[in-house]
């Protein structure tokens, strides 16, 4: 559980840090970012995990979303892991939507991906243990959110692990990867042609099976160019309706898929999680 501090800066009275450790899940070094509000020096605080999307790392969210101001106001530690394993010897692809930066937060079963692409184990099992051993976190009050591919990860990992993640939201998530080009490409490569394993990593299929005991918040840009081909929010809406899951889907007029969109609504999400985690 030893971590290396890569950087730490004072930010809104707290500390924004970037750290690295050797991961037993992926067999690689993994980097992650943590923002600790000032009050974390006095007591353990609730945690919000943010999963980034395709091509991203922890850096996109940490530097572009403006989350630190609101995390400081609401007394929430914000954690941003990487999107995939990286390093020499890690399988990759020239396409942006497969390989490094495109881990899809699942455990790959197919070669050459299975050796390192164990992002589900990393986020669900290893990262919480690393946090508990090195930061003043209250893991009994942990929520998760994410963007695009990271929104897919937030939904699937929370639905499968409700004892770990108590609150759930997403920005423009891929809600039915088994039925869109991004997801089908990733699933075919990482999981093979066994369609049964696809459903275990598809948010719409999972909510139909397990439901969700709390409520869910999703923000989606109405001018998102990926809306009709990759994101398919209506599929998740119908699945939640069939299971009587309390979903709030906010279609935000004029907004696209970018971090300008995330920065516009990250305050709402942090406040939403904080209210529920502190209840």
């Amino acid at each position: 559980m030893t971590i290396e501090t890569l950087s730490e800066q004072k930010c809104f009275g707290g500390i924004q840090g970037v750290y690295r450790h050797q991961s037993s899940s992926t067999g690689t070094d993994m980097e992650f970012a943590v923002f600790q509000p000032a009050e974390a020096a006095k007591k353990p605080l609730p945690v919000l995990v943010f999963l980034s999307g395709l091509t991203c790392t922890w850096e996109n969210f940490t530097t572009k979303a403006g989350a630190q101001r609101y995390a400081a106001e609401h007394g929430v530690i914000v954690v941003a892991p990487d999107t995939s394993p990286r390093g020499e010897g890690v399988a990759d692809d020239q396409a942006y939507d497969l390989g490094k930066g495109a881990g899809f937060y699942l455990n790959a079963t197919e070669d050459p991906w299975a050796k390192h692409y164990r992002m589900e184990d990393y986020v669900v099992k290893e990262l919480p243990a690393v946090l508990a051993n090195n930061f003043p976190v209250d893991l009994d009050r942990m929520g998760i959110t994410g963007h695009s591919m990271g929104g897919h990860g937030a939904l699937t990992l929370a639905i499968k692990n409700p004892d770990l993640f108590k609150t759930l939201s997403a920005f423009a998530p891929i809600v039915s990867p088994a039925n869109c080009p991004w997801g089908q490409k990733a699933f075919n490569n990482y999981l093979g042609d066994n369609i049964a394993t696809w459903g275990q990593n598809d948010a719409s299929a999972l909510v139909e099976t397990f439901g969700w005991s709390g409520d869910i918040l999703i923000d989606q840009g109405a001018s998102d160019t990926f809306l009709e081909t990759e994101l398919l929010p209506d599929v998740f809406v119908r699945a939640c309706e069939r299971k009587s899951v309390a979903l709030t889907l906010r279609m935000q007029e004029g907004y696209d898929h970018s971090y300008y969109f995330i920065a516009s609504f990250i305050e709402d999400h942090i406040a939403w999680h904080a209210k529920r985690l502190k209840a």
Side-chain angles (χ1 to χ4, degrees):
M1 296 298 176
T2 302
I3 64 171
E4 175 187 359
T5 299
L6 300 181
S7 66
E8 286 186 336
Q9 281 86 32
K10 189 166 185 177
C11 182
F12 293 103
I15 298 172
Q16 176 62 64
V18 180
Y19 310 92
R20 179 166 58 207
H21 71 109
Q22 176 64 34
S23 168
S24 59
S25 300
T26 66
T28 67
D29 284 342
M30 293 294 289
E31 294 183 1
F32 62 99
V34 178
F35 174 73
Q36 302 176 68
E39 62 189 284
K42 301 178 181 178
K43 62 181 181 179
L45 296 181
V47 184
L48 179 60
V49 176
F50 183 94
L51 303 182
S52 295
L54 287 168
T55 76
C56 295
T57 68
W58 55 264
E59 186 174 17
N60 299 75
F61 174 74
T62 302
T63 60
K64 294 180 179 180
Q68 293 91 341
R69 176 192 295 271
Y70 309 114
E73 289 178 5
H74 292 282
V76 176
I77 290 174
V78 178
V79 179
D82 204 346
T83 51
S84 75
R86 300 177 193 271
E88 187 175 349
V90 175
D92 198 12
D93 191 272
Q94 292 183 343
Y96 76 94
D97 53 358
L98 187 69
K100 295 177 184 178
F104 268 81
Y105 303 102
L106 51 75
N107 289 335
T109 59
E110 303 298 305
D111 291 332
W113 314 102
K115 182 178 180 180
H116 297 295
Y117 284 73
R118 311 282 304 175
M119 288 303 295
E120 178 172 354
D121 281 354
Y122 179 73
V123 174
V124 170
K125 298 178 181 179
E126 187 169 9
L127 183 60
V130 171
L131 295 173
N133 278 274
N134 294 279
F135 300 93
V137 294
D138 182 352
L139 294 185
D140 290 328
R141 297 186 293 167
M142 182 160 63
I144 191 167
T145 187
H147 172 231
S148 194
M149 177 188 74
H152 142 78
L155 292 171
T156 58
L157 299 183
I159 292 169
K160 287 194 280 187
N161 299 276
D163 292 338
L164 181 63
F165 298 111
K166 305 303 194 300
T167 55
L168 172 59
S169 76
F171 295 84
I174 304 171
V175 300
S176 187
N179 295 294
C180 74
W182 277 342
Q184 290 169 344
K185 180 177 182 178
F187 284 6
N188 267 306
N189 279 273
Y190 296 145
L191 302 174
D193 58 6
N194 183 355
I195 303 300
T197 64
W198 290 23
Q200 297 167 18
N201 296 276
D202 184 292
S204 296
L206 285 167
V207 81
E208 290 256 30
T209 302
F210 298 109
W212 177 255
S213 61
D215 52 347
I216 301 172
L217 172 63
I218 292 178
D219 272 308
Q220 171 63 62
S223 296
D224 192 323
T225 55
F226 303 113
L227 180 60
E228 301 298 332
T229 56
E230 303 285 3
L231 305 178
L232 312 176
D234 289 346
V235 176
F236 193 66
V237 169
R238 292 193 294 270
C240 287
E241 287 174 346
R242 286 190 285 270
K243 295 295 288 187
S244 298
V245 171
L247 169 66
T248 298
L249 171 64
R250 306 194 305 186
M251 298 299 299
Q252 304 291 0
E253 293 299 324
Y255 286 90
D256 59 14
H257 201 68
S258 70
Y259 266 85
Y260 296 113
F261 158 62
I262 298 173
S264 299
F265 300 103
I266 190 65
E267 179 181 10
D268 291 355
H269 283 247
I270 290 174
W272 186 90
H273 283 274
K275 179 180 178 180
R276 287 154 177 78
L277 292 172
K278 293 183 174 183

